[in-house]
């Protein structure tokens, strides 16, 4: 007797299960384990993966209400985008033009532009407008294969405006198929009204914002919420970052840090010491810090669209991180300043070239390891039974096309929680 399930995906040319290792991410040079099965099928029920295996075995064991024929295509887990600044209003095309003429990102920030120009636009936007602008981007993320997306606040920088950003995250999470992970980034920049008084702003973050955010969390956000700090030149010092992250940890928030994007202030050491779930950017990270990350459970999140977006030449030393045994994950860093790109496939294309990852390593870094960077490694990021049925059918027949061919959408069908959420053949949604 065969078991009846809601959905079978048959005719899979290459099934990439991308397993977790034990209960953890794929560490060091073990990154890139796709758990590849050729001529496979996948059984899905109640939004979860029930079984995978050779097609004859699965079709012999299961009957389905609906069957999707992959026609020999590649199937992988949905992409997990471990780092985005999805919610904002407006754009900074004019600043980009100035950067092309030779003005640096940090110079523009020091003049009161950069993050603070998006803060001004975001504070002015009403909630409906903020949700609309952000939803258009989230639709593009889904269409390009992202099924779980981390989203930071950090363009409000005032208690009410930060809470408004959290409300936008909660509204989008409720109405959109993509699952969102919320991160409070009140320490993204010193807002204009605190210019020259960074320590006072840090006091506000600790004494007013974190308590208000945690109150909001307890009422509106049942899952783990993160706190992040931009620890860098022109943003927050190591001491200020420590104060904020310690206050957040005391209230049960998960920790993340923006470290070593421009200058090395020692953020990695702090992240490891405090048991942060991830340390992100890691461009100018020292060899000693790389060794420390390799010995820790803190996931190294590389964001190659950012140096690319800044036209910088230096990228995360990913191979050294793998040599040290670190768990490497990928994110888009989608934001209006350094990297406006919703398409995680571009991140994979950059990771193969500038981080020196193989296609298989890039896929694992953007699925199973990215899930662990969000504390969701037991739920998403791989196609193991019991995990959410977040599944991509790619319009390619060799997984090595992913990260190789770039600039167009290679995803054909996106299945989120067992339901088709996007299909390029029907023109989208
Ligand atoms: O990750 N580094 C800080 N935050 C963003 C940039 C945000 C912005 O410029 O608006 C980043 O690169
Ligand atoms: Fe960022």
């Amino acid at each position: 007797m065969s078991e009846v399930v809601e959905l079978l995906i048959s005719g899979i040319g290459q099934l990439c299960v991308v397993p977790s290792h034990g209960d953890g991410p794929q560490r060091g040079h073990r990154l890139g384990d796709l758990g590849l099965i050729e001529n496979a099928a996948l059984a899905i029920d109640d939004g979860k993966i029930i079984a995978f295996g050779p097609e004859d075995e699965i079709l012999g064991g299961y009957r389905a209400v609906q069957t999707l024929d992959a026609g020999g295509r590649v199937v992988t887990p949905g992409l997990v985008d471990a780092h985005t600044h999805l919610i904002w209003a407006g754009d900074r095309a004019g600043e980009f033009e100035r950067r092309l003429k030779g003005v640096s990102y940090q110079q523009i920030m020091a003049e009161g532009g950069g993050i603070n120009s998006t803060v001004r636009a975001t504070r002015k936007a009403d909630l409906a407008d903020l949700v609309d602008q952000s939803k258009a981007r989230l639709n593009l993320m889904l269409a390009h294969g992202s099924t779980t997306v981390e989203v930071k606040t950090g363009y409000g920088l005032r208690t009410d405006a930060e809470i408004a950003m959290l409300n936008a995250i909660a509204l989008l999470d409720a109405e959109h198929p993509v699952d969102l992970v919320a991160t409070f980034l009140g320490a993204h920049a010193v807002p204009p009204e605190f210019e020259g008084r960074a320590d006072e702003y840090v006091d506000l973050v600790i004494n007013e914002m974190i308590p208000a955010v945690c109150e909001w969390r307890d009422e509106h956000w049942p899952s783990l919420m993160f706190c992040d700090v931009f620890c860098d030149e022109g943003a927050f010092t190591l001491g200020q970052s420590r104060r904020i992250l310690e206050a957040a940890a005391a209230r049960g928030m998960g920790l993340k840090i923006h470290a070593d994007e421009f200058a090395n202030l020692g953020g990695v050491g702090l992240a490891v010491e405090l048991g942060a779930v991830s340390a992100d950017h890691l461009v100018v990270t020292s060899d000693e810090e790389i060794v420390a990350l390799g010995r820790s459970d803190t996931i190294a999140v590389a964001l190659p669209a950012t140096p690319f977006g800044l036209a910088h030449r230096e990228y995360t030393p990913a191979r050294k991180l793998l040599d040290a045994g670190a768990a490497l994950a990928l994110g888009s860093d989608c934001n209006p300043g350094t990297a406006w790109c919703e398409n995680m496939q571009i991140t994979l294309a950059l990771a193969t070239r500038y981080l020196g990852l193989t296609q298989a390593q890039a896929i694992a870094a953007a699925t199973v390891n990215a899930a662990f960077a969000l504390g969701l490694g037991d739920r998403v990021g791989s196609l193991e039974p019991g995990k959410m049925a977040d599944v991509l059918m790619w319009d390619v027949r060799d997984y090595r096309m992913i990260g190789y061919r770039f600039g167009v959408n290679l995803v054909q069908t996106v299945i989120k929680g067992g339901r088709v959420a996007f299909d390029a053949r029907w023109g989208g949604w």
Side-chain angles (χ1 to χ4, degrees):
M1 264 295 282
S2 54
E3 193 181 320
V4 178
V5 293
E6 279 167 17
L7 178 65
L8 277 174
I9 304 179
S10 63
I12 302 172
Q14 295 182 331
L15 176 66
C16 303
V17 176
V18 203
S20 40
H21 285 168
D23 288 330
Q26 298 187 359
R27 298 191 68 98
H29 287 288
R30 297 179 66 209
L31 180 67
D33 173 10
L34 297 182
L36 190 83
I37 306 176
E38 303 211 319
N39 303 317
L42 197 56
I44 292 167
D45 198 63
D46 200 19
K48 298 217 165 87
I49 306 290
I50 299 295
F52 64 80
E55 180 164 38
D56 45 2
E57 252 174 50
I58 296 296
L59 296 189
Y62 297 90
R63 278 179 300 135
V65 177
Q66 189 194 356
T67 301
L68 283 180
D69 181 5
R73 291 180 178 78
V74 170
V75 164
T76 71
L79 300 176
V80 177
D81 189 340
H83 181 137
T84 87
H85 303 255
L86 174 75
I87 312 286
W88 76 80
D91 68 70
R92 306 213 308 260
E95 283 185 7
F96 183 60
E97 184 184 45
R98 288 188 66 207
R99 292 215 315 265
L100 297 176
K101 291 178 176 163
V103 187
S104 75
Y105 177 83
Q106 286 188 299
Q107 202 174 328
I108 291 170
M109 182 153 88
E111 290 166 7
I115 292 169
N116 272 324
S117 63
T118 301
V119 168
R120 284 186 287 275
T122 304
R123 284 177 177 179
K124 266 194 231 139
D126 65 23
L127 186 60
D129 190 18
L130 198 54
V131 167
D132 275 358
Q133 292 190 39
S134 306
K135 187 172 160 186
R137 292 185 283 267
L138 190 57
N139 285 341
L140 285 169
M141 289 179 172
L142 174 71
H144 290 90
S146 295
T147 48
T148 301
V149 171
E150 187 261 9
V151 184
K152 300 174 197 299
T153 69
Y155 294 119
L157 309 188
R158 215 175 49 205
T159 305
D160 63 324
E162 286 290 301
I163 296 288
M165 291 191 73
L166 288 171
N167 283 328
I169 293 173
L171 280 168
L172 281 172
D173 183 57
E175 73 169 47
H176 202 280
V178 173
D179 278 327
L180 303 184
V181 173
T183 298
F184 166 65
L185 178 58
H188 195 193
V190 178
E193 60 276 17
F194 279 87
E195 206 193 316
R197 300 186 293 132
D199 279 320
E200 283 174 52
Y201 180 65
V202 171
D203 290 340
L204 182 81
V205 171
I206 292 171
N207 299 324
E208 188 180 298
M209 287 190 191
I210 290 179
V213 163
C214 289
E215 208 173 295
W216 182 93
R217 170 196 65 185
D218 296 343
E219 207 172 317
H220 304 283
W221 197 261
S223 31
L224 178 65
M225 184 183 286
F226 289 94
C227 179
D228 192 346
V229 177
F230 186 14
C231 177
D232 217 308
E233 224 165 68
F236 295 90
T237 66
L238 187 64
Q240 291 165 342
S241 303
R242 172 186 289 278
R243 287 182 59 208
I244 291 167
L245 292 178
E246 285 181 343
R251 288 190 177 253
M253 301 181 89
L255 305 184
K256 291 182 170 286
I257 190 165
H258 278 67
D260 307 337
E261 180 178 359
F262 297 99
N264 185 324
L265 305 189
V268 165
L270 179 64
V272 170
E273 179 196 326
L274 299 182
V277 176
S278 75
D280 302 32
H281 282 290
L282 309 176
V283 177
V284 292
T285 307
S286 71
D287 289 347
E288 295 71 39
E289 291 168 307
I290 287 173
V291 169
L293 268 175
R295 294 202 181 118
S296 77
D297 287 331
T298 300
I299 311 252
V301 178
L303 309 163
T306 305
F308 176 76
L310 288 162
H312 287 177
R313 280 167 207 282
E314 224 180 327
Y315 285 78
T316 301
R319 286 207 176 126
K320 284 188 184 177
L321 283 160
L322 298 184
D323 289 342
L328 182 75
L330 289 169
S332 67
D333 198 21
C334 183
N335 77 78
T338 59
W340 188 333
C341 180
E342 293 89 344
N343 178 359
M344 270 289 279
Q345 295 168 49
I346 295 290
T347 294
L348 274 76
L350 293 168
T352 51
R353 288 157 182 86
Y354 294 114
L355 307 189
L357 302 187
T358 64
Q359 298 99 316
Q361 288 176 326
I363 292 168
T367 53
V368 67
N369 279 14
F372 279 99
L374 300 181
L376 292 175
D378 58 337
R379 294 189 44 202
V380 297
S382 105
L383 298 180
E384 295 160 304
K387 295 200 173 160
M388 272 190 50
D390 296 353
V391 183
L392 304 183
M393 202 188 288
W394 298 75
D395 195 15
V396 298
R397 286 171 172 75
D398 179 340
Y399 76 83
R400 295 172 304 176
M401 294 295 287
I402 300 167
Y404 158 58
R405 187 176 169 195
F406 64 92
V408 292
N409 190 5
L410 298 178
V411 166
Q412 178 187 280
T413 309
V414 183
I415 293 165
K416 174 68 194 174
R419 289 177 198 283
V420 175
F422 173 87
D423 197 304
R425 292 167 304 176
W426 314 331
W429 291 272

